[in-house]
Amino acid sequence: MTGGTLADWQERDAAHVMATYARAPLAFTHGQGTALFDVEGRPYLDFLCGLAVTNLGHANPAVTEAVARQAGRLVHTSNLFLTEPMLDLAERLARIIGWDDARSFFSNCGGTANEAAIKLARRWGKRQNPAKVRVVTLEGSFHGRTMATLEATGQPAKHVPFQPLLGYVDTVPFDNAAALRAAVTDRHCAVMLEVVQGEGGVRPVPDDVLHAAREACDDHGALLIVDEVQTGIGRTGQWFAFQATSVQPDVVTVAKALANGLPIGACIAHGDAAAVFGPGDHATTFGGNPVTAAAACAVIDTIESSDLLAAARERSAQLVQRIEEMAGDTPLITGVRGSGLLLGVTLDAPVARAVEHACRERFLVVNAVADDVLRLAPPLTVTADEIDLALSALTEACNHVGGSSTRGKA
Ligand code: PLP
């Protein structure tokens, strides 16, 4: 590391890193709890958590200690041999998901957890009927950027540069239970959905759609895959968002927050679905790596010992109440939606990017998840005072962008 200014870093980025991200003009060197510090040493309130990842805040001591301890002991062996942190994690996941017979496949991110789930479902389907390989997904969904998960992602603009795709997905409106029921046939091996669409604009999927998905899967021998990559590990105030519904999936995928920032994903199945894969069916060199698995165990233990699911629900209630009040008297803001600490602030104009920028100028990190929706995803450890500070910055940002005199509400 050579240090340097933001401009130096931007030049190095442009020279040698592929330009897949339109980055903000901001670079961070370290973090502590809800705070991120930029190259000038200025603190920002992090209400994005690296896209819903650092649920325990930055530099969480339990995670740091677990990583350091495991890194000093054993970093990697491959899955040709057993290591204990992976077993510890698989057992913890079975416990928190509430399935005694749960089995996990460990991957390296959300996209590869979903890729595993799609392959598992195809293997499941083909055992019944060679043509049973199709998957139903919802418009607005986001499941990843690999070729299979890109197609499962119900955002056609993302498909265009890479077409032709594999042609195995049927996409239905995210809020139409009847359309979903009608779309699932005996040629479908799975329905795949999020309980709250994160990248799709923090949109909760209606309850009747979740029930229709379960019923359609039962009627046609298909698997219900719930993608909890963004919602899992406490983000919504439950371990998994589906646990606040009465719908039980067959397969759940998780990633992002599982190791508080170290790369990991898991595809968790129960019942007959848990026994689909056999040796050679699927694999990845780093999956279940001892260091990331040790970090994930520390995450789960800390959420339990600090009662962070309850804390997330409490802080969520505070945020929702305050934002609903702001909707009455702050320019641009019309309301709030989402679940737990995955919230979308809705705006009355397509200016979310300008508000995101204005928040950054006020040392608050949030992001525009749609043209008219701002995503808030603070850590589960966020304090009431930090929420007050963040909402003051958001109010100022909306006043700045909306112009309180011309756009302000009566
Ligand atoms: N699934 C959902 C619901 C996501 O939100 C994301 C990422 O935003 C992914 C899958 C892909 O995860 P990753 O970027 O770790 O591959």
Side-chain angles (χ1 to χ4, degrees), residues 348-374:
D348 67 8
V351 293
R353 270 160 204 87
V355 177
E356 173 192 312
H357 182 79
C359 285
R360 269 204 307 275
E361 286 178 335
R362 290 158 181 80
F363 301 100
L364 171 65
V365 178
V366 292
N367 96 312
V369 73
D371 289 344
D372 56 357
V373 186
L374 210 61

Side-chain angles (χ1 to χ4, degrees), residues 123-377:
R123 190 98 172 79
W124 162 276
K126 285 178 67 119
R127 285 193 184 147
Q128 297 173 53
N129 160 6
K132 196 174 177 62
V133 295
R134 301 194 66 78
V135 173
V136 169
T137 67
L138 304 188
E139 283 172 12
S141 61
F142 186 87
H143 296 299
R145 301 283 195 159
T146 66
M147 286 305 290
T149 60
L150 175 66
E151 187 175 344
T153 291
Q155 302 185 36
K158 292 187 167 58
H159 298 176
V160 174
F162 304 101
Q163 282 163 340
L165 301 183
L166 306 172
Y168 77 101
V169 172
D170 299 297
T171 307
V172 297
F174 96 105
D175 56 356
N176 187 331
L180 190 146
R181 284 299 303 253
V184 182
T185 70
D186 288 346
R187 296 184 59 194
H188 289 89
C189 61
V191 173
M192 183 172 197
L193 49 77
E194 298 149 273
V195 174
V196 180
Q197 292 190 338
E199 300 308 304
V202 193
R203 293 195 303 180
V205 170
D207 225 40
D208 64 336
V209 172
L210 301 178
H211 283 277
R214 181 66 272 170
E215 286 160 18
C217 286
D218 290 343
D219 288 351
H220 294 281
L223 297 177
L224 177 58
I225 303 170
V226 171
D227 177 344
E228 298 258 8
V229 165
Q230 185 152 164
T231 48
I233 314 299
R235 173 60 45 201
T236 66
Q238 315 284 333
W239 284 113
F240 299 95
F242 84 82
Q243 291 169 329
T245 76
S246 53
V247 170
Q248 280 288 330
D250 302 296
V251 178
V252 163
T253 55
V254 64
K256 286 187 183 284
L258 182 53
N260 210 49
L262 279 83
I264 190 170
C267 167
I268 312 164
H270 70 134
D272 293 342
V276 168
F277 278 152
D281 280 337
H282 199 46
T284 175
T285 299
F286 291 124
N289 169 278
V291 176
T292 52
C297 289
V299 166
I300 292 171
D301 294 349
T302 303
I303 291 176
E304 278 179 330
S305 62
S306 303
D307 207 5
L308 290 179
L309 300 182
R313 293 193 291 267
E314 229 174 273
R315 296 283 80 83
S316 173
Q318 180 192 355
L319 265 168
V320 168
Q321 191 196 335
R322 286 285 311 281
I323 297 167
E324 279 171 352
E325 285 162 14
M326 285 162 69
D329 57 17
T330 308
L332 301 174
I333 295 182
T334 56
V336 60
R337 66 188 186 209
S339 184
L341 291 175
L342 179 59
L343 295 174
V345 180
T346 53
L347 308 178
D348 67 8
V351 293
R353 270 160 204 87
V355 177
E356 173 192 312
H357 182 79
C359 285
R360 269 204 307 275
E361 286 178 335
R362 290 158 181 80
F363 301 100
L364 171 65
V365 178
V366 292
N367 96 312
V369 73
D371 289 344
D372 56 357
V373 186
L374 210 61
R375 170 172 41 192
L376 305 188

